[in-house]
Amino acid sequence: MFQGHGDDGYLHQHTLAADFSTNVWHGGAPAGLKEYLFIQWEQVQRYPEVLAESLTEKIAAFYGFKTGNILVTNGSTESIYLIAQALQKKKSTIAVPAFAEYEDACKMFEHTISFINWEELQNGLVPDTELLFICNPNNPTGAVFTDLENIIKAYPEILFVVDEAFIEFTLSVISVIALIERYGNLIVLRSMTKAYAIPGLRLGYIAANASLINSLRSFKLPWAVNAMAIAAGHFIYDHYQEVQLPLQQLLAEKADFIKGLAGTPLTVYPSHTHFFLASTPIHTAASLKQFLLKEFDILIRDASNFRGLSEKHVRIATLNENKNQLLINALAEWKHI
């Protein structure tokens, strides 16, 4: 899906008053990172490390893993396509609604694809499959799966691909990354772009047992992670405690935001993250998106292209109080058109 993701503000010529379409942390990159990257500028004059080896060592050491348990990638999207390629033509199931790249990657590498509704999986229905893709917390719903270890343990014949791109945005579930050495049927995907607000640099990593990482590494292109992304990763792990987002504050702001939206036409659905789904009772998500852009320079995510959602669904991320109020005010006008 080359088009149809959130944060498509670059397609619009005018300056946005507020961008609710992206679920990247609105507070921006960690303090000091920009200056640090400027100092590293000369690194772009030579090739980066072939497999981001130095950052691999740092991430592995952070978790107490061996370097063979980590593969640094050009964002989670590269991770997804590497898995689909290394395990091509497998029988794969995707818990939906979900990020479209799981399906696109599996199609590219000739998987037999099926889908399971998120609620069905939570209720104990486990599909007959070889790979199971689960985003936890889920994008776009913000739902969480709290007992993943139980099903990972109970179904050793299924390879669980758990995408934790938004794990930093919830207090409702903890990462399963510590389980990779215990279970050989677990791959964990982590993103370093969302919580640290550097999506333009493209940086993430895969954690799994050594044999799985070896298989994935054999399909990885050299120099896929650029020098500035590697440098950003070093900065983040060297200052890890200082660069974490203020999650308690963000979730409190989200709660206030949802209270404000209660007086608008939107129906808001429960979420364990700073972003959430909503639906419009009139017209469509596409027309609401265009209305907000044209009249208020506000961008939201038309979520109708997520498998399992309808033409009425939008995804909204929490911004600061002033910008949240802009959307609340704008939606009062939508109510009257």
Side-chain angles (χ1 to χ4, degrees), residues 224-246:
V225 183
N226 71 72
M228 292 294 98
I230 294 171
H234 278 288
F235 180 91
I236 288 166
Y237 276 96
D238 286 342
H239 303 84
Y240 191 81
Q241 296 304 322
E242 307 101 274
V243 302
Q244 299 309 299
L245 60 84

Side-chain angles (χ1 to χ4, degrees), residues 76 132 195 227:
S76 291
L132 179 55

Side-chain angles (χ1 to χ4, degrees), residues 83 87 131 159-163 176 180 183-189 206-209 212-213 216:
I83 291 166
L87 300 163
L131 269 74
L159 179 57
F160 290 83
V161 181
V162 181
D163 185 349
V176 295
I180 61 163
Y183 300 106
N185 61 326
L186 173 63
I187 297 176
V188 179
L189 312 186
I206 302 170
N209 68 44
L212 284 169
I213 292 295
L216 298 173

Side-chain angles (χ1 to χ4, degrees), residues 76 79-84 87 90-95 98 102 106 111 118 121 129-136 148 151-152 158-165 176 180 184-190 205-208 212 216:
S76 291
S79 301
I80 293 164
Y81 280 81
L82 277 175
I83 291 166
L87 300 163
K90 294 289 188 181
K91 186 177 180 181
S92 295
T93 303
I94 302 167
Y102 310 135
C106 287
H111 291 230
W118 179 273
L121 191 61
T129 193
E130 293 177 287
L131 269 74
L132 179 55
F133 288 85
I134 303 173
C135 186
N136 194 40
L148 273 178
I151 64 168
I152 292 168
I158 298 176
L159 179 57
F160 290 83
V161 181
V162 181
D163 185 349
E164 295 187 339
V176 295
I180 61 163
N185 61 326
L186 173 63
I187 297 176
V188 179
L189 312 186
R190 297 295 293 268
Y205 54 93
I206 302 170
L212 284 169
L216 298 173

Side-chain angles (χ1 to χ4, degrees), residues 27-44:
L33 176 58
K34 179 179 179 181
E35 294 77 12
Y36 177 79
L37 292 181
F38 282 160
I39 295 171
Q40 309 302 315
W41 177 250
E42 289 187 0
Q43 292 189 34
V44 303

